[in-house]
Amino acid sequence: MSHKGLRRAVTIPVLGLIDVLLVVLLPLWVPVTLVYDLVRGKFRLPTTRLMLFGLCWAWIESAGVMLLFLLWVVGHGRDHRAHYRVQGWWCGRIIAALRVTVGLRVEVVGAEKVGQGPYVVFCRHASLADSIISCFIVNNTMGFHPRYVLKSALEMVPCLDLLGNRTPNCFVRRGSANVQAELDALAAMMHGMTEGDAAVIFPEGSRANPAKRERELSRLAERHPERHERLGALRHLIPPKPAGAQSMLGALPGADVITVWHQGLDGLDTFPGMLQALSERKVTAHVVVTVHPRSEVPADDGFTEWIDRRWVEMDDAVARFTQASGV
């Protein structure tokens, strides 16, 4: 059996086990989490609500796996359009589950200015929900067929594994010794893109938090002082890594660029952070989409400075919106 087959032989049965346990043990874990929250004075019931989302996610995930299995059975295992329809359904249901259980609201500004594409999309990364929210925006709101750059660890999520490997996406390995091979894979992912397609990458490479920001800025100060001079004042985002984004743009010279930043999800980069946020406030993701014509995006040496400037602008925008909203 292949490595892919072995992985799925583990992850899909484990998902089924999670489904069963969450349902069978529902009369136990609901009162336990309720008491746990109330005893600690967490009257917004963050633990119970997050567990309820986990229950919804597990069954939505299983339903998605079943739909993907049926596509394979009827001979549509390579039908990209059918898979994108499943992806839109799966993504929409998860966003709906987040809205019902934890109260997440997603407000999108600027999506109406997006054309037919193709586009390369650069998103900020700050929370565990970023991947699903960006999918909801690119796929469900804008109506594009998205191609994603994802970390290889996400192949442990069955729907992401099946969808990600049946449609043009790229799973990258962090810390790979063969950087050029990873960049070549990103460029190959862009092959065949046309109207209605969008390729998405999170140039920061990791969820932003203060510790990561300081670590990345320290590295820039040592290795690239000119970039540190531009990015040293970042307060919310972390410095972008330009190589992957530049490789994608180089493989699709006719694509315009979209940048996406959001405010309201900072601090939700870990499960304890999510519980803390849910106990204190309603969680609203204010998402801003900006289109950059390709003529304004330098192709070669000037690209690093260009993306640095965009990150500074987004960081300033997040800071202003955070101050205005009082979060």
Side-chain angles (χ1 to χ4, degrees):
M1 186 180 291
S2 67
H3 175 71
K4 184 185 299 184
L6 286 171
R7 180 178 66 244
R8 292 170 182 173
V10 173
T11 58
I12 293 176
V14 167
L15 175 63
L17 180 61
I18 292 171
D19 290 338
V20 173
L21 288 177
L22 285 174
V23 171
V24 171
L25 298 177
L26 189 72
L28 176 63
W29 63 258
V30 168
V32 167
T33 56
L34 282 171
V35 171
Y36 176 69
D37 283 334
L38 292 173
V39 166
R40 296 184 305 134
K42 305 294 184 180
F43 300 113
R44 295 180 62 83
L45 308 177
T47 311
T48 307
R49 293 160 67 204
L50 194 58
M51 285 291 293
L52 287 170
F53 168 70
L55 172 65
C56 294
W57 167 82
W59 282 96
I60 293 168
E61 190 77 11
S62 293
V65 170
M66 181 56 67
L67 288 172
L68 294 167
F69 173 71
L70 290 175
L71 284 179
W72 176 76
V73 167
V74 299
H76 289 282
R78 296 185 179 181
D79 184 340
H80 289 175
R81 289 187 177 276
H83 282 76
Y84 284 127
R85 287 194 292 271
V86 172
Q87 182 169 313
W89 175 88
W90 170 78
C91 179
R93 299 295 74 71
I94 292 179
I95 291 294
L98 284 167
R99 182 168 59 248
V100 171
T101 58
V102 303
L104 174 69
R105 295 292 184 271
V106 180
E107 302 171 348
V108 184
V109 176
E112 71 281 357
K113 299 178 181 178
V114 174
Q116 295 299 311
Y119 287 103
V120 181
V121 185
F122 303 151
C123 299
R124 79 164 294 209
H125 200 6
S127 80
L128 289 166
D130 284 353
S131 295
I132 193 67
I133 289 176
S134 67
C135 179
F136 178 72
I137 292 167
V138 175
N139 190 338
N140 299 46
T141 303
M142 297 183 190
F144 288 114
H145 294 158
R147 306 182 181 197
Y148 268 88
V149 180
L150 301 164
K151 60 183 180 181
S152 58
L154 289 175
E155 287 182 296
M156 298 303 290
V157 181
C159 273
L160 286 177
D161 179 12
L162 294 167
L163 281 167
N165 284 291
R166 290 187 188 176
T167 54
N169 298 279
C170 186
F171 289 94
V172 297
R173 298 183 302 278
R174 285 183 180 175
S176 172
N178 192 344
V179 176
Q180 188 56 51
E182 300 287 344
L183 295 177
D184 291 343
L186 295 184
M189 182 187 73
M190 311 297 287
H191 179 71
M193 285 185 61
T194 184
E195 285 189 2
D197 293 327
V200 184
I201 187 172
F202 296 88
E204 291 156 302
S206 182
R207 297 185 296 272
N209 62 41
K212 290 179 182 177
R213 186 178 307 109
E214 290 305 316
R215 183 167 64 247
E216 292 299 321
L217 288 173
S218 295
R219 289 176 180 172
L220 278 186
E222 294 176 5
R223 302 174 186 177
H224 304 285
E226 74 286 354
R227 293 194 67 203
H228 184 269
E229 185 175 350
R230 291 194 294 265
L231 298 167
L234 291 179
R235 292 163 286 176
H236 298 277
L237 282 67
I238 59 177
K241 297 176 175 61
Q246 189 168 11
S247 178
M248 293 166 67
L249 283 175
L252 196 65
D256 291 330
V257 173
I258 293 174
T259 54
V260 179
W261 63 267
H262 61 71
Q263 187 275 343
L265 300 179
D266 294 76
L268 279 70
D269 58 318
T270 63
F271 284 105
M274 292 177 71
L275 289 170
Q276 183 65 30
L278 291 176
S279 69
E280 294 175 348
R281 57 183 171 88
K282 294 181 178 179
V283 178
T284 299
H286 177 79
V287 184
V288 176
V289 174
T290 305
V291 178
H292 306 270
R294 188 56 176 268
S295 60
E296 299 176 2
V297 183
D300 298 313
D301 294 341
F303 176 74
T304 297
E305 181 175 356
W306 182 88
I307 196 170
D308 285 351
R309 298 297 183 193
R310 301 295 78 74
W311 243 245
V312 170
E313 291 170 0
M314 288 193 288
D315 190 81
D316 290 341
V318 171
R320 290 194 303 271
F321 199 90
T322 299
Q323 184 176 20
S325 61
V327 176

